[in-house]
Amino acid sequence: MVAHARADHPDEACGLIAGPEGTGEPKRHIPMINAARSTTFYEFDSEEWKQVYDQMWDNDEEVVVAYHSHTHTEAYPSRSDAGIASQLGLPGAHYVLVTTKDPDVAEVRAFRIADEVITEEPIEVTGAPEAVQSYKFAHTPDSTVYDCS
């Protein structure tokens, strides 16, 4: 996610991480095209979205993580981000934001967004922090933590 966000900078990047349906396990990274090609807004390309969803359907997968980057602001969902997340209809998905405003530091935060209500989740970087190898997501600090590599 961080590499994708940095590669698309100065435009916002967006993508998904899919996993086996019903498991909540993040397994497959799917970088997508920001159809808006904007430094302040992202929009999934509708044709690519359909292709990705058809492929996930065929593979019995679901969206575990939907992510995008912010190029000039903190990694916190904007009002329009909350609206987009609610329109996507993925109440079980984690929403991850990556900030690329500082070329040396990537701020990464995870949220749940349902009905435009934003709830931050804990996130833990695993491996060598300078390499940003993987992230762990959890519903609460007491729950199972899944490693997404």
Side-chain angles (χ1 to χ4, degrees), residues 124 136-138 140-141 143-147:
E124 177 185 338
K136 288 185 178 179
F137 303 91
T140 67
S143 69
T144 304
V145 176
Y146 299 108
D147 187 14

Side-chain angles (χ1 to χ4, degrees), residues 13 16 45 56 60 82 91 93-94 98 119 136 142:
L16 304 171
D45 179 81
M56 285 192 308
D60 295 322
H94 303 273
V98 177
T119 306
K136 288 185 178 179
D142 299 331

